[in-house]
């Protein structure tokens, strides 16, 4: 064989082997660069994810603290309206009690004044009746004295003797069977020896007794009526006092029951709030805003990673174009990556 041909063939084979070697080295270098890029990209992604996660956890912690603070403030304000209403009811009850006491005292003063007036009127009437009886008795005594004086001042008949006339007047007794015949008897004195009082319109004793009986009956009826009215008023006061006592007892029992129900309701609400997740206290629009913000941050991070990847590829192409005459080796290539 010709040496020139053998030389050219050996040179061709060497060139082929060299091309294969260079291609293998390029593949190894590309694989190494790709692995380094993947590792760097994974580290950057992990760093960005850790940063975003830390930021998200901080925001969630701040929101949780704000929700806890709002919850504590709500618990502190819980029951304040009920306490204010109870205090207002107690003040109203005290005002009503004071007003009732003042009204009762005023009514008692009015009854006292009316009782004093009735007592004075009764005393005045009793005094007038006593004065009237005393004057009437004095008048009757004067009339009796005047009549006795007239009887004593009347002169006796001069020619007749009372004893003799009495003795002589006894005559024959006439027995009469008719009552109308007893116009005069031997028991009657002579007209000259006795002064017969002229009729002065004497009152009828039966009518006077009936009138007095009517007056006494009316007084008894009035007394019984007054006693009945006093008993009815006392019964009404007793019923009112019993009603007030029952109302006070019912009010105290109702307030105790309301306090117990309030405590049970507060405990139940606290248990229910403790069972609820923390994210429930975040408003829906805030949750939507947080999700949108997280999505935007992730998109921005991925865009930065894509831009960085494109810049790395451009740098590699530029490096290859500049070093095209040199043989690429793994040790001779240096990866230039922009700092984040």
């Amino acid at each position: 064989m010709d040496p020139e041909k053998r030389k050219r063939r050996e040179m061709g084979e060497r060139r082929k082997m060299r091309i294969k070697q260079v291609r293998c080295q390029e593949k190894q270098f590309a694989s190494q660069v790709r692995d380094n890029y993947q590792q760097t990209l994974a580290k950057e992604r992990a760093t960005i994810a850790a940063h975003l996660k830390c930021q998200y956890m901080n925001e969630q912690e701040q929101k949780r603290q704000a929700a806890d603070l709002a919850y504590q403030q709500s618990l502190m304000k819980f029951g304040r309206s009920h306490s204010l209403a109870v205090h207002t009811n107690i003040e109203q009850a005290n005002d009503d009690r004071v007003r009732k006491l003042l009204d009762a005292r005023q009514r008692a003063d009015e009854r006292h004044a009316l009782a004093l007036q009735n007592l004075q009127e009764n005393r005045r009437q009793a005094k007038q009746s006593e004065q009237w009886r005393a004057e009437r008795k004095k008048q009757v005594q004067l009339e009796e004295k005047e009549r006795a004086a007239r009887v004593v001042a009347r002169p006796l008949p001069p020619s007749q003797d009372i004893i003799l006339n009495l003795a002589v007047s006894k005559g024959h007794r006439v027995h009469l069977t008719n009552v109308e015949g007893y116009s005069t008897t031997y028991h009657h004195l002579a007209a000259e020896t006795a002064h017969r009082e002229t009729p002065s319109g004497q009152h009828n004793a039966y009518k006077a007794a009936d009138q007095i009986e009517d007056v006494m009956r009316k007084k008894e009826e009035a007394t019984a009526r007054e006693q009945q009215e006093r008993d009815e008023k006392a019964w009404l006061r007793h019923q009112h006092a019993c009603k007030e006592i029952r109302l006070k007892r019912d009010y105290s029992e109702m307030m105790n029951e309301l306090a117990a129900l309030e405590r049970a309701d507060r405990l139940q609400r606290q248990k229910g709030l403790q069972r609820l997740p923390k994210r429930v206290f975040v408003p829906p629009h805030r949750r939507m805003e947080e999700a949108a913000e997280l999505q935007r941050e992730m998109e921005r991070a991925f865009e930065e990673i894509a831009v960085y990847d494109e810049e790395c590829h451009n740098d590699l192409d530029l490096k290859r174009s500049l070093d095209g005459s040199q043989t690429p080796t793994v040790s001779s290539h240096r990866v230039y990556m922009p700092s984040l």
Side-chain angles (χ1 to χ4, degrees):
M1 183 179 286
D2 191 4
E4 293 293 332
K5 291 182 179 179
R6 187 182 298 114
K7 186 178 181 180
R8 284 196 298 270
R9 188 177 60 184
E10 290 178 359
M11 289 294 292
E13 291 178 356
R14 289 179 181 178
R15 190 180 292 111
K16 289 179 182 180
M17 291 176 63
R18 185 62 179 171
I19 289 170
K20 290 181 180 179
Q21 186 179 4
V22 169
R23 286 180 179 177
C24 183
Q25 289 177 356
E26 287 292 337
K27 287 181 181 180
Q28 291 178 359
F29 176 73
S31 177
Q32 186 178 1
V33 170
R34 190 166 50 252
D35 293 339
N36 293 333
Y37 174 73
Q38 292 293 335
Q39 292 177 2
T40 305
L41 184 61
K43 289 180 181 180
E44 290 178 355
R45 287 179 179 177
T47 304
I48 294 172
H51 178 69
L52 292 176
K53 185 176 181 181
C54 183
Q55 185 178 1
Y56 177 75
M57 293 300 292
N58 292 331
E59 292 179 356
Q60 292 297 323
E61 183 66 22
Q62 292 177 0
K63 292 177 181 179
R64 187 184 64 79
Q65 291 178 359
D68 291 339
L69 181 60
Y71 174 69
Q72 294 296 330
Q73 292 178 357
S74 300
L75 286 180
M76 291 176 64
K77 292 180 181 179
F78 185 79
R80 185 175 298 175
S81 300
H82 179 71
S83 301
L84 183 61
V86 171
H87 185 66
T88 305
N89 292 331
I90 292 173
E91 290 181 355
Q92 291 179 359
N94 293 330
D95 295 339
D96 295 338
R97 191 181 298 107
V98 171
R99 186 165 55 255
K100 288 180 181 179
L101 289 175
L102 292 176
D103 295 340
R105 185 174 297 173
Q106 184 178 1
R107 290 195 298 270
D109 294 338
E110 292 177 357
R111 291 196 300 271
H112 179 67
L114 182 62
L116 289 177
Q117 185 177 359
N118 293 332
L119 181 61
Q120 291 176 0
E121 184 68 21
N122 294 331
R123 288 180 179 177
R124 187 179 60 80
Q125 291 179 1
K127 189 175 181 180
Q128 287 181 358
S129 62
E130 289 178 359
Q131 290 179 357
W132 180 80
R133 284 196 295 271
E135 291 178 358
R136 186 63 181 168
K137 184 177 180 180
K138 188 175 181 180
Q139 185 178 1
V140 170
Q141 289 178 357
L142 291 175
E143 290 178 358
E144 289 293 333
K145 287 180 180 180
E146 290 177 358
R147 190 172 66 81
R150 287 198 305 271
V151 171
V152 172
R154 187 173 182 176
L156 295 173
S159 60
Q160 294 182 359
D161 190 1
I162 297 175
I163 303 301
L164 294 176
N165 288 335
L166 288 173
V168 172
S169 62
K170 292 180 182 180
H172 181 68
R173 298 181 179 178
V174 179
H175 296 281
L176 297 176
T177 58
N178 190 5
V179 178
E180 295 178 356
Y182 289 98
S183 59
T184 179
T185 61
Y186 66 94
H187 295 288
H188 292 121
L189 297 176
E192 294 82 2
T193 60
H195 176 71
R196 182 171 297 180
E197 186 178 3
T198 57
S200 59
Q202 185 177 1
H203 298 287
N204 191 355
Y206 292 105
K207 292 182 179 181
D210 293 337
Q211 292 177 359
I212 292 172
E213 186 178 0
D214 292 338
V215 171
M216 292 178 66
R217 186 175 63 254
K218 289 179 180 179
K219 286 183 179 181
E220 289 178 357
E221 290 177 357
T223 304
R225 192 182 304 109
E226 291 177 357
Q227 183 65 30
Q228 185 178 1
E229 290 178 357
R230 286 195 295 270
D231 294 340
E232 290 178 356
K233 289 179 180 179
W235 184 78
L236 290 175
R237 288 196 298 272
H238 171 71
Q239 292 294 326
H240 183 67
C242 292
K243 186 177 180 181
E244 286 186 351
I245 292 171
R246 287 195 297 270
L247 287 175
K248 289 180 181 178
R249 185 172 61 253
D250 295 341
Y251 179 76
S252 62
E253 292 178 356
M254 183 180 66
M255 294 305 297
N256 293 329
E257 291 178 358
L258 285 176
L261 290 174
E262 181 184 1
R263 290 193 296 271
D265 184 63
R266 187 185 298 112
L267 183 60
Q268 186 177 2
R269 287 175 182 272
Q270 290 177 357
K271 291 181 179 179
L273 290 174
Q274 291 175 0
R275 287 194 298 269
L276 290 175
K278 298 298 182 181
R279 60 186 305 274
V280 175
F281 297 98
V282 181
H285 66 279
R286 293 290 300 278
R287 291 200 296 270
M288 295 174 65
E289 290 177 359
E290 291 175 359
E293 185 67 23
L294 181 61
Q295 183 68 24
R296 286 194 295 270
E297 291 178 356
M298 292 178 67
E299 291 177 358
R300 192 181 303 113
F302 284 121
E303 288 177 359
E304 291 178 356
I305 293 171
V307 170
Y308 174 70
D309 190 5
E310 186 177 358
E311 290 177 355
C312 289
H313 281 292
N314 293 331
D315 293 339
L316 290 174
D317 294 337
L318 180 61
K319 181 70 173 178
R320 289 175 183 176
S321 63
L322 292 176
D323 298 338
S325 62
Q326 300 177 1
T327 302
T329 58
V330 177
S331 61
S332 64
H333 286 82
R334 296 183 63 184
V335 179
Y336 295 93
M337 298 179 67
S339 60
L340 293 175

